[in-house]
Amino acid sequence: MRGDAIIDAERLTKRYGEIVAVDSVSFEVPEGEIFGLLGPNGAGKTTTIGILSCLVTPTAGSARICGIDVTKDSLGVRSKIGVVPQEIALYPTLSARDNLVFWGRMYGVPDHALKQRIEEILETVELSDRADSRIDTFSGGMKRRVNIAAGLLHRPSVLFLDEPTVGIDPQTRRSILELVVELNDHGLTVLYTTHYLEEAEFLCNRIGIMDEGKMLAIGTKEELTATIGATGVIAVSADGMDESIVGWLRSLDAVADAALVESELTINVIAGPNLLPALVEKLTSSGAAVHSVDVTVPNLESVFLHLTGKSLRDRDGSPAEGEPVGKKT
Amino acid sequence: MKKVLYIIAHNLRVLRSDRSAFFWLLAMPLVFTFVLGIMIRDGGGGSGEPPRYALTVANLDEGEHGAALLEAIEEADEIDLLVVEGPDAGAEAEALVEDGDRSAALVIPADFSALLEAGEGAALTFHRNPERMNPLVTRQAVEKIVSRLNVSALAGAGVLEGYEHLWGAVPEERAPELTARADRFVEEASETPPLTVRVETLGRGPEEDAPAMGFSHSSPAMALMYVLLNGLMASVFLVTERRERTLMRLFTTPVRRSTIIVANLGWRFVVGMIQIWFLIGFGALVFRVDWGDSPVGLLAVTVTYVAAVAGLSVLIGSVARTSRQAESLSLVLALTMCALGGLWWPLEITPRAYQRVGHMIPTGWAMDAMHNLISRGYTLAGVAPQALVLAGFAAAFTVAAVLTFRHE
Ligand SMILES: Nc1ncnc2c1ncn2[C@@H]1O[C@H](COP(=O)(O)OP(=O)(O)OP(=O)(O)O)[C@@H](O)[C@H]1O
Ligand SMILES: [Mg+2]
């Protein structure tokens, strides 16, 4: 596989003094894939993208993009990649078109082709009618789309999208995810980082799960969920739970993992005797006020719980439960 | 490199999208050129009277020439005269200057008249206290008077000699009349004495051209000041580009680091050059400033000065962590350099220690060069030392900027 991988990262490590931002991370992405880097804040996703786009010099390890070493030929690598930063990296006082002209030129798109490319890309991100408005008059979602467009002008072999849906409404979120799918359908390889597991599940062919700089597991959603040995997931929403309930659950044979984040309790359940009656009994006797109990099949949340003992859902930021993220074509 | 030009053009576009930029770059300096020009036309007092410079004179000569010189000095409007008399007058005048009570003293030696009558040259001694303001100006005023007397004496001698040549020895009773006539001739001839030019350099010209004199300091000074102030303030753009991540994004495109740095220096240089030449042009057309006879010299000075400002601007932008830091650092540095470099008042009138500090920073050298061009009529060779020093500053700032330049 080494030969045809577009992204090939080998034991990448980046230290900032005491902090190990990326710790011996290896993965490969073949052409045409959407590969997801899933992990909570500070997992090392942005740093990994930084190394792959030659912004950050790795402390150890090596990486190749289209066979070009990131530490040896940064200009060569940069002409192959499109990078969409986590932040809106645009000039707010210039129009969308002027921004795209500038970034296109920086990517070395020849002047005679640039105008046409910009029209096409504005069409793709559905902003043709606002092309000549200043960026600072745009909504958050529109800015996000121009931010992505700026990374596509030179028709890169691989696109790095670093949390492109942070802080935007569900509708814009969906349109961005659909855009990524569309681009991928046209053959673009995508490295997509997120801490929303729904996005990773919906978009990515394969997913790498990161936490605290380490790559914990890589695989398709099915491969990953198969590794945890659980057959079901119980999600309890209740007030008045404490860590003692987690301790009790972990002592049970039927429980693979359990984690409590605020009023959300997540349990990976191994096939066997039905846990539910005993759980409800335990919760009510401990005085917890149960709002809901959901039983589902294992998902990436269960995998993350299994791998780290923590819940991936942070206290805010995560999209609302059950929010559909789109329809995979 | 094409991308350097693209980035420069792009930054000019970003600058143009900020409507207040025009005001700060072009309108403000003109307002201040006008105000400062009017202020220093009147010697700062605003009273309409020319400034007066303190001079102490000790006349040890008892003859007529000493008296004539003293009289001429008394008549000079610009000199605020103190005459010390008595046998120890010379030592007394020297002591006054040495203690700093008076800034300058002129001693007319005892044999002054005798030497002149014998047809030999006589030397006047000019004592000055460099720690005090003004001695240079005072000396120039004295030189002006002395030179007029010199011309007068020569012309007088010439008339007498001509009479002798035509009609033989001058009769005793005709001598005063002839001398007076020669004096009148000289008087007329010296309406425009040769050395008045040097006195003009300090901003006090002949009455009829007085306003331009004020502007011939204020126009270059305000041009230098605003190019510096706006140029350093442009450091904020670099901090903003880092904060808004556009600089980081630029580093993910196939553009060399060196290209990005050169372009960052480049657009600041272009804006600075447009600004300074706009102000020079406006000074020439509206304030009637004579920028000297050496456009090449002026070009050399502006190029090196603006390059130094651009280098310092990128350096500040690289070192500062926040916009606010860049702003206050720029403001403090710019204003300090204006004051110390003689942009607000000529360095020539400041104490020696002050002048020394002024020549540790670019502004002092740039202002020197401007005075050399405008007032002293120097050519390229005359401002080459200043231009070289400014180029040195530009190189040093640029190296420091390259070393500290970062995208996050
Ligand atoms: N320039 C830096 N200097 C010091 N520490 C850094 C630097 N960049 C990143 N880190 C640290 O490295 C770790 C990983 O950061 P990184 O930004 O890669 O995480 P992330 O997965 O992108 O997180 P997020 O979801 O919040 O964007 C964090 O602990 C962060 O504080
Ligand atoms: Mg990140």
Side-chain angles (χ1 to χ4, degrees):
Chain A
M1 180 139 151
R2 187 122 300 177
D4 51 292
I6 282 205
I7 303 172
D8 175 9
E10 247 182 59
R11 292 193 301 279
L12 289 179
T13 300
K14 180 65 190 179
R15 286 198 194 86
Y16 292 107
E18 291 292 285
I19 301 169
V20 187
V22 174
D23 191 354
S24 199
V25 164
S26 301
F27 62 97
E28 286 175 12
V29 180
E31 189 171 354
E33 186 171 275
I34 301 180
F35 184 84
L37 280 180
L38 177 67
N41 293 131
K45 306 181 294 293
T46 300
T47 308
T48 304
I49 285 195
I51 296 172
L52 296 176
S53 50
C54 317
L55 278 176
V56 176
T57 317
T59 314
S62 65
R64 280 160 297 281
I65 307 284
C66 303
I68 309 168
D69 194 311
V70 296
T71 55
K72 298 211 173 93
D73 180 8
S74 61
L75 290 190
V77 167
R78 287 169 183 179
S79 61
K80 297 281 182 198
I81 61 175
V83 180
V84 179
Q86 195 166 349
E87 302 82 5
I88 309 287
L90 299 169
Y91 295 92
T93 60
L94 298 188
S95 69
R97 192 189 304 280
D98 284 346
N99 267 282
L100 294 178
V101 166
F102 176 67
W103 292 113
R105 284 177 168 166
M106 291 305 103
Y107 276 116
V109 179
D111 267 352
H112 61 85
L114 188 56
K115 201 169 171 334
Q116 169 95 28
R117 296 261 182 104
I118 290 174
E119 296 309 326
E120 282 169 18
I121 279 162
L122 284 169
E123 193 91 1
T124 312
V125 297
E126 293 166 11
L127 283 171
S128 300
D129 51 332
R130 294 295 301 274
D132 295 303
S133 307
R134 281 161 58 126
I135 295 291
D136 55 11
T137 66
F138 281 18
S139 72
M142 289 159 79
K143 288 179 191 169
R144 285 266 160 213
R145 280 183 276 159
V146 182
N147 202 35
I148 294 174
L152 294 169
L153 290 158
H154 59 303
R155 302 197 169 139
S157 307
V158 52
L159 184 67
F160 295 163
L161 285 167
D162 195 0
E163 306 203 33
T165 60
V166 165
I168 53 177
D169 61 280
Q171 199 183 330
T172 315
R173 211 163 107 82
R174 186 169 320 153
S175 81
I176 284 178
L177 296 182
E178 279 165 5
L179 173 64
V180 176
V181 170
E182 189 189 323
L183 291 167
N184 178 246
D185 284 345
H186 286 86
L188 184 66
T189 308
V190 179
L191 178 64
Y192 190 100
T193 81
T194 182
H195 60 265
Y196 298 147
L197 60 101
E198 295 88 346
E199 285 188 3
E201 287 185 359
F202 167 72
L203 264 186
C204 303
N205 304 103
R206 289 190 312 136
I207 297 148
I209 296 182
M210 289 188 77
D211 188 38
E212 295 177 359
K214 292 199 177 63
M215 184 70 89
L216 302 177
I218 299 177
T220 62
K221 180 195 165 193
E222 293 71 23
E223 286 166 359
L224 290 169
T225 45
T227 58
I228 61 174
T231 52
V233 177
I234 300 173
V236 180
S237 174
D239 288 327
M241 294 186 288
D242 57 32
E243 281 298 323
S244 67
I245 191 106
V246 176
W248 170 75
L249 282 165
R250 281 180 181 159
S251 69
L252 303 176
D253 287 342
V255 172
D257 299 286
L260 178 67
V261 176
E262 288 183 346
S263 59
E264 306 290 331
L265 177 66
T266 312
I267 310 156
N268 288 353
V269 190
I270 301 166
N274 195 344
L275 180 67
L276 270 181
L279 175 62
V280 173
E281 159 80 42
K282 179 80 182 172
L283 283 169
T284 30
S285 70
S286 70
V290 179
H291 302 305
S292 71
V293 179
D294 278 327
V295 184
T296 55
V297 291
N299 56 14
L300 291 177
E301 168 70 18
S302 343
V303 178
F304 193 79
L305 173 64
H306 169 74
L307 292 170
T308 66
K310 297 185 293 190
S311 173
L312 183 58
R313 294 183 193 286
D314 52 0
R315 269 123 236 240
D316 38 17
S318 192
E321 198 74 30
E323 169 71 45
V325 290
K327 207 170 175 308
K328 191 156 185 178
T329 48
Chain B
M1 185 95 175
K2 209 155 135 198
K3 283 181 184 170
V4 170
L5 297 180
Y6 281 147
I7 302 177
I8 290 175
H10 162 79
N11 276 291
L12 296 182
R13 182 168 292 175
V14 171
L15 195 64
R16 210 184 51 193
S17 69
D18 175 7
R19 264 147 245 265
S20 64
F22 164 81
F23 176 74
W24 290 111
L25 288 171
L26 305 176
M28 278 299 277
L30 291 179
V31 170
F32 275 82
T33 304
F34 183 73
V35 171
L36 181 67
I38 294 294
M39 267 166 54
I40 61 178
R41 174 189 63 176
D42 289 340
S47 62
E49 279 186 18
R52 289 161 67 86
Y53 302 107
L55 179 68
T56 307
V57 175
N59 184 9
L60 307 178
D61 179 34
E62 316 228 291
E64 57 171 312
H65 290 282
L69 176 58
L70 189 57
E71 197 179 322
I73 293 174
E74 270 168 357
E75 280 170 8
D77 286 338
E78 63 264 52
I79 288 180
D80 172 18
L81 184 64
L82 173 74
V83 181
V84 283
E85 282 168 344
D88 294 331
E92 198 180 317
E94 275 179 49
L96 282 172
V97 174
E98 203 168 343
D99 300 345
D101 294 334
R102 301 282 290 176
S103 61
L106 186 73
V107 178
I108 306 174
D111 53 0
F112 186 63
S113 289
L115 284 170
L116 286 183
E117 272 155 28
E120 288 173 39
L124 296 162
T125 318
F126 184 87
H127 297 285
R128 65 196 196 97
N129 183 332
E131 306 300 326
R132 289 281 307 263
M133 290 210 178
N134 291 339
L136 178 66
V137 186
T138 323
R139 199 179 66 204
Q140 285 172 341
V142 170
E143 279 168 356
K144 183 169 123 186
I145 292 161
V146 170
S147 85
R148 202 164 56 207
L149 288 179
N150 278 338
V151 175
S152 175
L154 284 175
V159 169
L160 293 181
E161 217 169 84
Y163 187 98
E164 270 172 2
H165 179 70
L166 292 172
W167 295 290
V170 182
E172 190 104 11
E173 71 276 11
R174 298 222 49 194
E177 185 214 321
L178 285 173
T179 318
R181 210 189 266 182
D183 277 351
R184 214 165 42 243
F185 166 76
V186 168
E187 195 92 29
E188 279 161 19
S190 55
E191 286 285 308
T192 50
L195 285 186
T196 37
V197 183
R198 285 181 64 85
V199 180
E200 277 173 20
T201 65
L202 292 150
R204 308 169 304 108
E207 282 300 294
E208 68 274 13
D209 210 17
M213 289 307 107
F215 294 133
S216 70
H217 175 78
S218 76
S219 200
M222 290 300 102
L224 293 176
M225 167 169 162
Y226 273 88
V227 165
L228 179 70
L229 191 60
N230 298 138
L232 296 195
M233 280 295 186
S235 60
V236 176
F237 281 81
L238 197 51
V239 181
T240 308
E241 281 228 74
R242 276 202 307 271
R243 190 187 57 231
E244 295 187 341
R245 301 292 176 171
T246 45
L247 192 60
M248 185 198 78
R249 179 171 222 163
L250 195 52
F251 272 91
T252 70
T253 66
V255 179
R256 281 170 212 284
R257 180 185 142 93
S258 56
T259 303
I260 297 170
I261 298 177
V262 168
N264 261 283
L265 294 165
W267 76 261
R268 287 170 172 82
F269 179 79
V270 169
V271 171
M273 286 303 277
I274 292 173
Q275 188 187 12
I276 205 165
W277 281 92
F278 170 85
L279 295 175
I280 287 173
F282 209 93
L285 294 175
V286 177
F287 299 125
R288 292 176 29 238
V289 175
D290 177 2
W291 293 88
D293 307 322
S294 176
V296 189
L298 198 53
L299 187 66
V301 174
T302 52
V303 164
T304 50
Y305 179 72
V306 173
V309 172
L312 186 54
S313 174
V314 175
L315 174 60
I316 294 172
S318 300
V319 173
R321 280 153 197 267
T322 62
S323 300
R324 180 167 294 215
Q325 253 180 29
E327 257 167 38
S328 30
L329 195 58
S330 298
L331 199 63
V332 168
L333 277 177
L335 296 186
T336 312
M337 292 211 287
C338 286
L340 293 178
L343 268 49
W344 292 341
W345 42 80
L347 270 192
E348 283 84 346
I349 65 162
T350 62
R352 185 182 282 169
Y354 195 109
Q355 296 189 14
R356 221 175 286 136
V357 176
H359 285 96
M360 292 195 276
I361 54 179
T363 40
W365 292 92
M367 202 60 221
D368 258 7
M370 287 297 191
H371 279 314
N372 280 353
L373 290 167
I374 296 173
S375 313
R376 298 174 190 130
Y378 287 12
T379 56
L380 177 61
V383 293
Q386 285 85 357
L388 281 176
V389 173
L390 289 172
F393 276 114
F397 291 146
T398 302
V399 167
V402 168
L403 293 177
T404 50
F405 199 88
R406 64 210 162 86
H407 59 75
E408 57 167 9

